[in-house]
Amino acid sequence: MRFPRRVKIVEVGPRDGLQNEPKSVPAAVKIELVRRLVDAGLRSIEATSFVSPKWVPQMADSAEVMAGVERKSGVAYPVLVPNMQGFEAARKAGADEIEVFGAASETFSRKNINCSIAESLERFAPVIKAARAEKMRVRGAVSCAAGCPYEGEVKPRAVAALAEELHEMGCYEISLADTIGVGTPGKVRAMIEAVARKVPIGKLAGHYHDTYGQALANIYASLKAGVKTFDSSVAGLGGCPYAKGATGNVATEDVVYMFNGLGIETGVDLEKLFRAGQFICGELGREPASRVARALAAKMKT
């Protein structure tokens, strides 16, 4: 089996990993986390999101975080924006890449962003147009790509239809998110193949939650299908809000370890990444969800 020589990892810990934390995380801690992740070699890091603090209080300091992050050449710091108001705030904060997010499930779309799929696309259109006019890169994301907490099965053609719309609007990359972690390798492979008939495979990314312990297997299946970009979260930060007690994002340490074993370059220093995970977990007062991080910590104690 031939694998790509190199893959891109999009680190989502500072945004997706922290957004549901019940206790406020100081902006200085978020800024330091981003700095450590850059030092570890990550070159695309979701820094924050410009959403209403009423709905996501943890991201209320987004402008402060962006002001405090030291921008490094060759590193992207994408931020999530849900609408024009969020875009304007992101633009004023100096963001050079944004991400818009829709859902392949009608029910999830209404519950998550309070509008239908069609309405979400109408909302994204002016945002993407404005961003491109400002020479800002735009990434798209499709939630519920492998299943929905309300509707259950999501048809691959529904994922493909939304991904195609986002691609045609101007998104340079589309992240396919198994939001609740119900995907399995066969299901994920079929979904990717359906989307790849509408969007070039080189513009697709995988975002897999580990609720049922399938994330690494799904990444492997995606590699075999031709995907070369993957989202992950340091220390496995970020739970799954629809499966109480379940893990959420796949841990970046685990992903890097697997890629290292396959001889695939990531540009990431695993030890520095491990230290970054220790730092944020220390601030949060918890153990990392990453199995690799736990194994390394145990090894250091012996």
Side-chain angles (χ1 to χ4, degrees), residues 155-194:
K155 299 292 186 183
R157 65 174 177 269
V159 183
L162 180 55
E164 182 180 27
E165 292 275 7
L166 291 172
H167 175 246
E168 291 182 349
M169 283 183 178
C171 292
Y172 79 92
E173 188 170 84
I174 314 294
S175 177
L176 306 173
D178 181 8
T179 309
I180 55 173
V182 295
T184 55
K187 182 184 291 186
V188 165
R189 179 73 181 255
M191 180 268 293
I192 288 172
E193 289 175 348

Short mmCIF file of all heavy atoms in Angstrom, two decimals, residues 155-194:
data_model
loop_
_atom_site.label_atom_id
_atom_site.label_comp_id
_atom_site.label_asym_id
_atom_site.label_seq_id
_atom_site.Cartn_x
_atom_site.Cartn_y
_atom_site.Cartn_z
N LYS A 155 -26.76 10.21 4.56
CA LYS A 155 -26.39 9.66 3.27
C LYS A 155 -25.14 10.36 2.71
O LYS A 155 -25.04 11.59 2.78
CB LYS A 155 -27.53 9.84 2.26
CG LYS A 155 -28.83 9.13 2.65
CD LYS A 155 -28.66 7.61 2.59
CE LYS A 155 -30.01 6.91 2.83
NZ LYS A 155 -29.84 5.43 2.87
N PRO A 156 -24.20 9.60 2.15
CA PRO A 156 -23.01 10.20 1.55
C PRO A 156 -23.34 11.28 0.53
O PRO A 156 -22.62 12.27 0.40
CB PRO A 156 -22.30 9.00 0.90
CG PRO A 156 -22.69 7.85 1.76
CD PRO A 156 -24.12 8.12 2.13
N ARG A 157 -24.44 11.10 -0.20
CA ARG A 157 -24.80 12.10 -1.22
C ARG A 157 -25.16 13.44 -0.60
O ARG A 157 -24.96 14.49 -1.21
CB ARG A 157 -25.94 11.59 -2.10
CG ARG A 157 -27.27 11.37 -1.41
CD ARG A 157 -28.36 11.00 -2.42
NE ARG A 157 -29.63 10.73 -1.78
CZ ARG A 157 -30.02 9.52 -1.37
NH1 ARG A 157 -29.22 8.48 -1.55
NH2 ARG A 157 -31.20 9.35 -0.81
N ALA A 158 -25.67 13.42 0.65
CA ALA A 158 -25.98 14.68 1.33
C ALA A 158 -24.69 15.40 1.71
O ALA A 158 -24.60 16.64 1.61
CB ALA A 158 -26.82 14.41 2.58
N VAL A 159 -23.69 14.65 2.14
CA VAL A 159 -22.39 15.23 2.47
C VAL A 159 -21.75 15.80 1.21
O VAL A 159 -21.22 16.91 1.20
CB VAL A 159 -21.46 14.16 3.10
CG1 VAL A 159 -20.13 14.78 3.50
CG2 VAL A 159 -22.14 13.51 4.30
N ALA A 160 -21.82 15.02 0.13
CA ALA A 160 -21.23 15.45 -1.14
C ALA A 160 -21.89 16.71 -1.67
O ALA A 160 -21.21 17.60 -2.20
CB ALA A 160 -21.35 14.32 -2.17
N ALA A 161 -23.20 16.81 -1.53
CA ALA A 161 -23.93 17.98 -2.04
C ALA A 161 -23.49 19.26 -1.32
O ALA A 161 -23.25 20.29 -1.96
CB ALA A 161 -25.43 17.77 -1.88
N LEU A 162 -23.36 19.19 0.00
CA LEU A 162 -22.95 20.37 0.76
C LEU A 162 -21.49 20.71 0.48
O LEU A 162 -21.14 21.88 0.30
CB LEU A 162 -23.17 20.14 2.25
CG LEU A 162 -22.78 21.30 3.18
CD1 LEU A 162 -23.48 22.58 2.77
CD2 LEU A 162 -23.11 20.94 4.63
N ALA A 163 -20.64 19.69 0.42
CA ALA A 163 -19.23 19.94 0.13
C ALA A 163 -19.06 20.59 -1.23
O ALA A 163 -18.24 21.51 -1.40
CB ALA A 163 -18.45 18.63 0.19
N GLU A 164 -19.84 20.14 -2.21
CA GLU A 164 -19.76 20.72 -3.55
C GLU A 164 -20.16 22.19 -3.53
O GLU A 164 -19.51 23.04 -4.16
CB GLU A 164 -20.67 19.94 -4.51
CG GLU A 164 -20.61 20.45 -5.94
CD GLU A 164 -21.51 19.67 -6.87
OE1 GLU A 164 -22.53 19.10 -6.41
OE2 GLU A 164 -21.19 19.62 -8.08
N GLU A 165 -21.21 22.52 -2.80
CA GLU A 165 -21.65 23.92 -2.69
C GLU A 165 -20.54 24.79 -2.08
O GLU A 165 -20.25 25.88 -2.57
CB GLU A 165 -22.91 24.01 -1.83
CG GLU A 165 -24.15 23.39 -2.45
CD GLU A 165 -24.88 24.35 -3.38
OE1 GLU A 165 -24.35 25.45 -3.64
OE2 GLU A 165 -25.98 24.00 -3.84
N LEU A 166 -19.93 24.32 -1.01
CA LEU A 166 -18.87 25.09 -0.35
C LEU A 166 -17.66 25.25 -1.27
O LEU A 166 -17.03 26.32 -1.31
CB LEU A 166 -18.46 24.40 0.95
CG LEU A 166 -19.50 24.41 2.07
CD1 LEU A 166 -19.05 23.52 3.23
CD2 LEU A 166 -19.76 25.83 2.57
N HIS A 167 -17.34 24.20 -1.99
CA HIS A 167 -16.22 24.26 -2.93
C HIS A 167 -16.49 25.27 -4.03
O HIS A 167 -15.63 26.10 -4.38
CB HIS A 167 -15.98 22.88 -3.53
CG HIS A 167 -14.92 22.85 -4.58
ND1 HIS A 167 -15.19 22.58 -5.91
CD2 HIS A 167 -13.58 23.09 -4.53
CE1 HIS A 167 -14.06 22.64 -6.61
NE2 HIS A 167 -13.08 22.95 -5.80
N GLU A 168 -17.70 25.25 -4.58
CA GLU A 168 -18.05 26.18 -5.65
C GLU A 168 -18.10 27.62 -5.18
O GLU A 168 -17.87 28.55 -5.95
CB GLU A 168 -19.38 25.76 -6.29
CG GLU A 168 -19.28 24.46 -7.09
CD GLU A 168 -20.58 24.07 -7.75
OE1 GLU A 168 -21.62 24.70 -7.43
OE2 GLU A 168 -20.57 23.13 -8.58
N MET A 169 -18.40 27.81 -3.89
CA MET A 169 -18.41 29.17 -3.33
C MET A 169 -17.00 29.74 -3.16
O MET A 169 -16.84 30.94 -3.04
CB MET A 169 -19.11 29.16 -1.97
CG MET A 169 -20.61 29.09 -2.03
SD MET A 169 -21.32 29.17 -0.36
CE MET A 169 -23.06 29.11 -0.74
N GLY A 170 -16.01 28.84 -3.13
CA GLY A 170 -14.64 29.33 -3.03
C GLY A 170 -13.83 28.80 -1.88
O GLY A 170 -12.72 29.29 -1.63
N CYS A 171 -14.32 27.80 -1.16
CA CYS A 171 -13.52 27.22 -0.07
C CYS A 171 -12.37 26.42 -0.68
O CYS A 171 -12.60 25.56 -1.53
CB CYS A 171 -14.38 26.30 0.80
SG CYS A 171 -15.64 27.18 1.76
N TYR A 172 -11.16 26.68 -0.22
CA TYR A 172 -10.00 26.00 -0.79
C TYR A 172 -9.87 24.57 -0.28
O TYR A 172 -9.20 23.73 -0.90
CB TYR A 172 -8.71 26.78 -0.49
CG TYR A 172 -8.16 26.58 0.89
CD1 TYR A 172 -7.23 25.58 1.16
CD2 TYR A 172 -8.57 27.40 1.95
CE1 TYR A 172 -6.71 25.40 2.43
CE2 TYR A 172 -8.06 27.22 3.22
CZ TYR A 172 -7.13 26.22 3.46
OH TYR A 172 -6.63 26.04 4.74
N GLU A 173 -10.52 24.29 0.85
CA GLU A 173 -10.45 22.96 1.45
C GLU A 173 -11.75 22.70 2.21
O GLU A 173 -12.33 23.62 2.79
CB GLU A 173 -9.26 22.90 2.41
CG GLU A 173 -8.94 21.53 2.98
CD GLU A 173 -7.61 21.55 3.71
OE1 GLU A 173 -7.57 21.93 4.91
OE2 GLU A 173 -6.58 21.21 3.07
N ILE A 174 -12.19 21.45 2.21
CA ILE A 174 -13.42 21.07 2.90
C ILE A 174 -13.09 19.99 3.91
O ILE A 174 -12.62 18.90 3.56
CB ILE A 174 -14.50 20.52 1.93
CG1 ILE A 174 -14.64 21.41 0.69
CG2 ILE A 174 -15.82 20.36 2.67
CD1 ILE A 174 -15.17 22.78 0.95
N SER A 175 -13.35 20.27 5.19
CA SER A 175 -13.13 19.30 6.25
C SER A 175 -14.41 18.51 6.48
O SER A 175 -15.46 19.08 6.74
CB SER A 175 -12.72 20.03 7.54
OG SER A 175 -12.56 19.11 8.60
N LEU A 176 -14.32 17.20 6.38
CA LEU A 176 -15.47 16.31 6.55
C LEU A 176 -15.45 15.78 7.98
O LEU A 176 -14.59 15.00 8.36
CB LEU A 176 -15.39 15.17 5.55
CG LEU A 176 -15.26 15.62 4.08
CD1 LEU A 176 -15.01 14.43 3.17
CD2 LEU A 176 -16.49 16.40 3.63
N ALA A 177 -16.40 16.23 8.78
CA ALA A 177 -16.36 15.97 10.22
C ALA A 177 -17.36 14.91 10.68
O ALA A 177 -18.56 15.06 10.49
CB ALA A 177 -16.63 17.27 10.99
N ASP A 178 -16.81 13.86 11.29
CA ASP A 178 -17.65 12.86 11.96
C ASP A 178 -17.89 13.40 13.37
O ASP A 178 -17.24 13.02 14.33
CB ASP A 178 -16.94 11.51 12.00
CG ASP A 178 -17.77 10.43 12.67
OD1 ASP A 178 -18.95 10.68 12.95
OD2 ASP A 178 -17.22 9.33 12.93
N THR A 179 -18.84 14.30 13.47
CA THR A 179 -19.08 15.09 14.68
C THR A 179 -19.32 14.26 15.93
O THR A 179 -18.89 14.64 17.02
CB THR A 179 -20.30 16.01 14.44
OG1 THR A 179 -20.09 16.72 13.21
CG2 THR A 179 -20.47 17.00 15.57
N ILE A 180 -20.00 13.14 15.79
CA ILE A 180 -20.31 12.34 16.98
C ILE A 180 -19.51 11.03 17.03
O ILE A 180 -19.73 10.20 17.90
CB ILE A 180 -21.82 12.04 17.09
CG1 ILE A 180 -22.34 11.37 15.82
CG2 ILE A 180 -22.58 13.34 17.36
CD1 ILE A 180 -23.79 10.91 15.93
N GLY A 181 -18.58 10.87 16.10
CA GLY A 181 -17.67 9.73 16.17
C GLY A 181 -18.29 8.38 15.95
O GLY A 181 -17.83 7.39 16.50
N VAL A 182 -19.32 8.30 15.11
CA VAL A 182 -19.97 7.01 14.85
C VAL A 182 -19.45 6.32 13.60
O VAL A 182 -19.82 5.19 13.31
CB VAL A 182 -21.51 7.18 14.72
CG1 VAL A 182 -22.10 7.63 16.04
CG2 VAL A 182 -21.86 8.16 13.59
N GLY A 183 -18.58 7.00 12.85
CA GLY A 183 -18.08 6.45 11.61
C GLY A 183 -17.19 5.23 11.81
O GLY A 183 -16.52 5.08 12.83
N THR A 184 -17.19 4.36 10.82
CA THR A 184 -16.29 3.21 10.76
C THR A 184 -15.56 3.29 9.43
O THR A 184 -15.99 4.02 8.51
CB THR A 184 -17.07 1.89 10.85
OG1 THR A 184 -18.07 1.88 9.82
CG2 THR A 184 -17.74 1.74 12.21
N PRO A 185 -14.42 2.59 9.28
CA PRO A 185 -13.63 2.72 8.06
C PRO A 185 -14.40 2.53 6.76
O PRO A 185 -14.24 3.30 5.81
CB PRO A 185 -12.55 1.66 8.25
CG PRO A 185 -12.35 1.60 9.72
CD PRO A 185 -13.73 1.75 10.30
N GLY A 186 -15.27 1.52 6.71
CA GLY A 186 -16.03 1.30 5.49
C GLY A 186 -16.99 2.44 5.19
O GLY A 186 -17.11 2.88 4.04
N LYS A 187 -17.67 2.90 6.23
CA LYS A 187 -18.62 4.01 6.05
C LYS A 187 -17.90 5.29 5.65
O LYS A 187 -18.36 6.03 4.76
CB LYS A 187 -19.39 4.22 7.36
CG LYS A 187 -20.44 5.32 7.29
CD LYS A 187 -21.10 5.57 8.64
CE LYS A 187 -21.96 4.41 9.06
NZ LYS A 187 -22.71 4.71 10.31
N VAL A 188 -16.77 5.56 6.28
CA VAL A 188 -16.00 6.77 5.97
C VAL A 188 -15.44 6.71 4.55
O VAL A 188 -15.47 7.69 3.82
CB VAL A 188 -14.87 6.95 7.01
CG1 VAL A 188 -13.84 7.97 6.52
CG2 VAL A 188 -15.45 7.41 8.34
N ARG A 189 -14.94 5.54 4.16
CA ARG A 189 -14.41 5.39 2.80
C ARG A 189 -15.50 5.65 1.77
O ARG A 189 -15.28 6.36 0.77
CB ARG A 189 -13.84 3.97 2.64
CG ARG A 189 -13.26 3.66 1.25
CD ARG A 189 -11.96 4.36 1.01
NE ARG A 189 -11.43 4.08 -0.32
CZ ARG A 189 -10.41 3.26 -0.56
NH1 ARG A 189 -9.80 2.63 0.44
NH2 ARG A 189 -9.95 3.08 -1.79
N ALA A 190 -16.70 5.12 2.00
CA ALA A 190 -17.80 5.33 1.06
C ALA A 190 -18.19 6.80 0.99
O ALA A 190 -18.50 7.33 -0.09
CB ALA A 190 -19.00 4.48 1.48
N MET A 191 -18.18 7.46 2.14
CA MET A 191 -18.52 8.88 2.19
C MET A 191 -17.49 9.70 1.41
O MET A 191 -17.84 10.58 0.61
CB MET A 191 -18.61 9.34 3.65
CG MET A 191 -18.95 10.80 3.86
SD MET A 191 -17.47 11.84 3.98
CE MET A 191 -16.77 11.27 5.55
N ILE A 192 -16.22 9.43 1.63
CA ILE A 192 -15.16 10.16 0.94
C ILE A 192 -15.24 9.96 -0.56
O ILE A 192 -15.11 10.90 -1.35
CB ILE A 192 -13.77 9.73 1.46
CG1 ILE A 192 -13.56 10.27 2.88
CG2 ILE A 192 -12.65 10.24 0.55
CD1 ILE A 192 -12.33 9.74 3.56
N GLU A 193 -15.48 8.73 -0.98
CA GLU A 193 -15.58 8.44 -2.41
C GLU A 193 -16.74 9.19 -3.05
O GLU A 193 -16.63 9.68 -4.18
CB GLU A 193 -15.71 6.94 -2.64
CG GLU A 193 -14.41 6.18 -2.33
CD GLU A 193 -14.56 4.68 -2.44
OE1 GLU A 193 -15.72 4.19 -2.52
OE2 GLU A 193 -13.53 3.98 -2.42
N ALA A 194 -17.85 9.33 -2.31
CA ALA A 194 -19.00 10.08 -2.83
C ALA A 194 -18.66 11.56 -2.96
O ALA A 194 -18.99 12.20 -3.97
CB ALA A 194 -20.20 9.89 -1.91
#
